[in-house]
Amino acid sequence: MSERSYSYSRQEINNDDIRSVTRVLRSDWLTQGPSVERFERDLSSKLRAKHVSVVSSGTAALHLLGLALGWRPGDLVITSPLTFLASANCILYAGATPDFVDIDPHSYTIDIGRLRDRIEEKKKQGKRVKAVVAVDYAGHPCDWKSLRELADRHGFQLVDDACHALGAKLGGDIGYAARFADAAVLSFHPVKHITTGEGGAVLTNDSRLDETLKILRTHGVTKNRAIMEKSDGPWYYEMHDLGFNYRITDLQCALGSSQLKRLDRIVSQRRRVAEYYDRVLSSADVLVTPGVSQEVEHSYHLYPLQVKFESLKVDRKELFERLSKKRINCQVHYIPVHLQPYYRKNYGFKEGDFPEAESFYRREISIPMYPSLGKDDLKYITTSLLESLEVQAFHQKGGKR
Ligand SMILES: *Cc1c(COP(=O)(O)O)cnc(C)c1O
C-alpha cells in the first residue's frame, strides 16, 4: 500500500526548470526582459498562433481580452455555467451582461443546439449577442467547427477559454484554438498542464487585437511612433487607454519555456492515466467516465468522474471523508457559476436554469490526474474509490456485472 498522498492535481518541477529560473535570477532582467518574448515565441510556435501575449494570470488574460474586444455595458456575452468563476467574471469586469447556455451531457462543453436557440430567442427580443466564451472543460475541446459557423452567421466574437486544454487536439490539430476562435486564453497556475506559479496568455491570429493586449497589460502606455501624437524624445511615452500592470516576470517565463518543452510527454502521461481509469471504472454501473467526442484528443487537465450517488448509500461528503482518510483528496469541478450568490442576487439566475450543469455538479468528483501517477498509485486510488463507494468493478476490458 502506498504511503503517498494524492490530490486532484499537482505540479511537476525538475532540475532543468530550476536551472532555467536561476539563470534568469543571475541575469540583468527579472522582468520586461528577453525571457518574456522567448516564452511568447515558444507558445506561438507550439500552438500555431501568430501572436501571443503572456500576462500575470489566466484571469488577467480574460480581463484584458474582454476590454480589447470592446465589450461594453449593454453587451450580452454568453458562457458555460460549468466553469471556473473567471470565465464569467471577465464579462462583468467589462460591464457587459452575462448569460449562460447549458452543457452537452456527453462532452460537458457548451451545447451547440441550445446556444443556437438562445441566440435566436435573443434576436427576436431585438438583442444581439456580442461574444461567446466557450470553455474546453477538463481538456475536451468544444465543437469548434459548429461554434465558428454560428459566430460567422450571427456575427459574434468567439473566445476559447482553453485554460484546461493545453495540448489537446481537434481533428489532429494542436492549434485549433487560434484557428477557430478570435482569441484563446491559457492559465499557468500550478494545477494546470504547465506552470509559471501564476501566469496566463492570450493567443490570437489578429495582430491588432494582440497590440491592444500588449498595451493594456502595461498601463495602457505606448512608445510606438505610429500611434503617438508626437515625440518629445527618447524618454517620451503616451497613454491612450486605461491599462493595468498585468505583466508576468522573466523568472516565471523561463519556467514556462522550460516546462513547455515537456508538453507532449505531459499530455501523453495524462492520457495514459485516463485510459487506466476508463478501463477500471467504466465497468461499475454507478460510475460514468468522461465522454470523448470524435475528432477530439482530450488533454485531461481533470478526470471528471460522475457518481450516481442517488443509487448509493454513500453520499459525496461521506465519500470525501473516506477518501481523505486514505490520503486521497478529490475536488468538485464546478459549482455552476449561475448558482453563486453574486450571480443569483445581481443577475436573477436561479436553481433549475441549467439542469444539465446542475445535475453534473451533483454527481461530479475530480479524482487525481497528473503525469507522475504510476500503476501502483492508480491501483491504490481506484481500489480505494471502489471500496469507499462499496461497489465492485471488473478490472478487465469490457467487463460487465
Ligand atoms: C484556471 C482557470 C482560469 C483562470 O486562471 P488563473 O490563472 O488561475 O487566473 C480561467 N478559466 C478556467 C476554466 C480555469 O480553469
Side-chain angles (χ1 to χ4, degrees):
M1 198 198 265
S2 169
E3 284 309 310
R4 289 166 67 181
S5 73
Y6 303 94
S7 62
Y8 82 90
S9 183
R10 62 169 289 131
Q11 76 269 21
E12 177 194 273
I13 301 289
N14 72 13
N15 286 331
D16 287 343
D17 294 338
I18 292 165
R19 267 193 296 273
S20 303
V21 175
T22 49
R23 207 177 300 131
V24 174
L25 268 173
R26 293 176 210 281
S27 80
D28 290 337
W29 301 92
L30 300 188
T31 187
Q32 295 177 280
S35 299
V36 177
E37 281 171 33
R38 179 166 160 225
F39 188 35
E40 287 177 342
R41 278 198 306 277
D42 292 345
L43 286 165
S44 159
S45 69
K46 182 73 197 172
L47 302 173
R48 300 176 196 158
K50 283 194 188 135
H51 308 282
V52 177
S53 287
V54 289
V55 292
S56 53
S57 70
T59 303
L62 285 162
H63 182 187
L64 294 188
L65 184 54
L67 300 183
L69 288 169
W71 300 351
R72 294 208 156 67
D75 285 341
L76 191 63
V77 180
I78 294 176
T79 189
S80 166
L82 184 69
T83 187
F84 181 58
L85 298 168
S87 321
N89 288 351
C90 66
I91 303 167
L92 315 192
Y93 297 155
T97 305
D99 198 5
F100 300 94
V101 165
D102 213 345
I103 55 163
D104 163 74
H106 178 75
S107 68
Y108 317 144
T109 60
I110 199 160
D111 186 302
I112 302 294
R114 285 184 168 105
L115 178 62
R116 188 179 302 123
D117 294 348
R118 191 85 179 134
I119 291 165
E120 276 159 17
E121 179 192 328
K122 288 288 168 188
K123 211 170 196 174
K124 278 186 200 134
Q125 299 167 2
K127 288 183 206 147
R128 212 172 64 83
V129 173
K130 175 80 175 177
V132 171
V133 180
V135 182
D136 295 336
Y137 174 81
H140 186 297
C142 300
D143 179 355
W144 282 102
K145 210 163 151 244
S146 303
L147 283 170
R148 186 72 261 167
E149 282 167 15
L150 265 186
D152 290 342
R153 178 152 6 113
H154 295 281
F156 58 78
Q157 301 164 336
L158 204 45
V159 170
D160 182 1
D161 182 337
C163 290
H164 292 185
L166 184 58
K169 293 181 185 168
L170 188 60
D173 181 13
I174 200 172
Y176 71 89
R179 189 152 67 85
F180 286 110
D182 295 299
V185 169
L186 297 175
S187 163
F188 309 120
H189 185 278
V191 297
K192 308 287 164 71
H193 289 81
I194 67 166
T195 189
T196 59
E198 298 278 358
V202 182
L203 320 175
T204 182
N205 290 336
D206 178 339
S207 60
R208 286 194 41 206
L209 187 62
D210 185 65
E211 269 170 42
T212 308
L213 291 164
K214 287 194 164 86
I215 290 172
L216 287 177
R217 78 176 164 187
T218 180
H219 310 284
V221 154
T222 183
K223 280 191 152 196
N224 180 351
R225 292 273 181 94
I227 299 171
M228 291 197 297
E229 290 174 358
K230 57 174 183 169
S231 181
D232 281 354
W235 66 88
Y236 187 76
Y237 54 81
E238 285 180 358
M239 175 184 145
H240 290 251
D241 288 299
L242 182 60
F244 306 83
N245 179 355
Y246 278 171
R247 293 186 303 256
I248 183 171
T249 65
D250 281 61
L251 300 167
Q252 292 170 291
C253 289
L255 179 57
S257 286
S258 177
Q259 294 235 319
L260 186 62
K261 287 185 193 149
R262 306 200 291 276
L263 180 63
D264 293 347
R265 200 212 68 213
I266 288 169
V267 171
S268 71
Q269 286 179 314
R270 285 174 177 271
R271 290 171 58 82
R272 184 186 46 75
V273 171
E275 265 170 40
Y276 186 98
Y277 285 153
D278 285 347
R279 184 158 43 81
V280 173
L281 301 176
S282 62
S283 62
D285 300 341
V286 294
L287 301 178
V288 183
T289 55
V292 182
S293 303
Q294 270 194 347
E295 303 249 293
V296 160
E297 268 180 58
H298 204 306
S299 67
Y300 294 102
H301 159 56
L302 303 173
Y303 190 88
L305 184 68
Q306 285 184 80
V307 183
K308 296 178 185 166
F309 289 105
E310 64 276 15
S311 48
L312 286 170
K313 279 175 286 177
V314 189
D315 66 9
R316 187 160 52 181
K317 244 167 121 179
E318 175 67 22
L319 175 64
F320 267 56
E321 274 164 30
R322 289 183 186 182
L323 286 175
S324 133
K325 283 195 191 120
K326 297 173 196 280
R327 305 175 317 281
I328 300 169
N329 298 302
C330 297
Q331 247 307 345
V332 173
H333 296 95
Y334 291 94
I335 305 158
V337 177
H338 70 283
L339 296 182
Q340 291 296 343
Y342 190 89
Y343 281 83
R344 283 193 277 107
K345 281 181 198 148
N346 293 302
Y347 298 96
F349 295 107
K350 58 187 187 313
E351 191 141 6
D353 282 348
F354 306 103
E356 293 290 354
E358 291 171 24
S359 98
F360 181 84
Y361 164 65
R362 283 192 291 272
R363 286 177 163 186
E364 200 267 353
I365 65 168
S366 298
I367 61 177
M369 169 52 83
Y370 46 88
S372 61
L373 291 169
K375 264 264 160 67
D376 289 346
D377 301 313
L378 296 174
K379 198 166 177 193
Y380 175 72
I381 292 164
T382 48
T383 308
S384 304
L385 176 67
L386 294 166
E387 271 172 19
S388 304
L389 288 169
E390 298 170 37
V391 298
Q392 287 179 342
F394 288 105
H395 287 209
Q396 66 271 31
K397 239 182 195 142
K400 265 272 164 241
R401 298 206 274 165

